Amino acid sequence: AQSVTQLGSHVSVSEGALVLLRCNYSSSVPPYLFWYVQYPNQGLQLLLKYTTGATLVKGINGFEAEFKKSETSFHLTKPSAHMSDAAEYFCAVSSGYSTLTFGKGTMLLVSP
Amino acid sequence: EAGVAQSPRYKIIEKRQSVAFWCNPISGHATLYWYQQILGQGPKLLIQFQNNGVVDDSQLPKDRFSAERLKGVDSTLKIQPAKLEDSAVYLCASSPGTGNTEAFFGQGTRLTVV
């Protein structure tokens, strides 16, 4: 079985500030990890993914995430928030041929 | 490249009525998923198809939900009869494979049951 926990249903930052969205996972086998973003009334768009290899993964729009096996974490960061980053972010895990299991999501609010 | 197409975008029905959603995946994608996203929650898998065969439907409420993927391309998801708790966004996604491959999502169908 696999599961994802996202800490904080809402995160508020000021424009230009560091963005940190937390994700912890549980998986009985080596996981594949994903971050998706969802804008209002839209589907989910992939930001980045970790499969194997380098544990620091860079994605679109300046986001990156680091896979830490010892902490079972895959936190999402961005050095400087933009207004356009305001959206809901979902962490997800899969393994082998299993399907994506999503966390409950974190709404990112960016204030000017 | 055309994305995943879903229709309708919005649907309002009364409880006990039936409803159907349609999905056209990205051309060539063998895997198709239907997810249910209730307000304030992450998407939950309802059913996964590999070509036209069902891989996982363990979370599909089979007494009222059904899905098919004819000819391994388009798919329809049906609810009959609908309940108030079925109000959600129904997302269709497709991918070329499974596991570590990216899933591409459609815009979803927002269902309101009144």
Side-chain angles (χ1 to χ4, degrees), chain A residues 53-73:
Chain A
T55 56
L56 182 62
V57 180
K58 295 186 184 300
I60 62 172
N61 301 337
F63 285 93
E64 62 182 37
E66 186 171 11
F67 170 59
K68 293 187 176 181
K69 184 178 178 180
S70 61
E71 299 178 6
T72 61
S73 69

Side-chain angles (χ1 to χ4, degrees), chain A residues 6-8 10-23 35-37 47-48 56 60-66 74-90 106-111:
Chain A
Q6 291 185 240
L7 296 176
H10 292 79
V11 170
S12 296
V13 299
S14 298
E15 195 171 19
L18 171 72
V19 175
L20 171 61
L21 304 182
R22 300 179 186 275
C23 171
W35 276 100
Y36 282 83
V37 61
L47 278 178
L48 50 79
L56 182 62
I60 62 172
N61 301 337
F63 285 93
E64 62 182 37
E66 186 171 11
F74 191 58
H75 302 331
L76 182 70
T77 61
K78 182 174 181 178
S80 176
H82 294 163
M83 296 295 291
S84 59
D85 294 328
E88 190 156 24
Y89 292 79
F90 292 92
T106 297
M107 184 68 72
L108 176 65
L109 307 170
V110 183
S111 56

Side-chain angles (χ1 to χ4, degrees), chain B residues 11-21 36 38 60-65 78-90 110-114:
Chain B
K11 190 73 176 179
I12 301 174
I13 62 172
E14 295 182 351
K15 60 183 179 182
R16 291 187 290 274
Q17 286 187 324
S18 64
V19 65
F21 312 128
Q36 180 193 57
I38 293 174
L60 186 74
K62 298 181 185 64
D63 58 335
R64 297 184 301 106
F65 285 64
K78 297 179 181 178
I79 308 175
Q80 182 178 11
K83 294 184 176 181
L84 295 177
E85 57 261 37
D86 298 331
S87 294
V89 176
Y90 290 85
R110 182 177 297 278
L111 174 66
T112 302
V113 183
V114 298

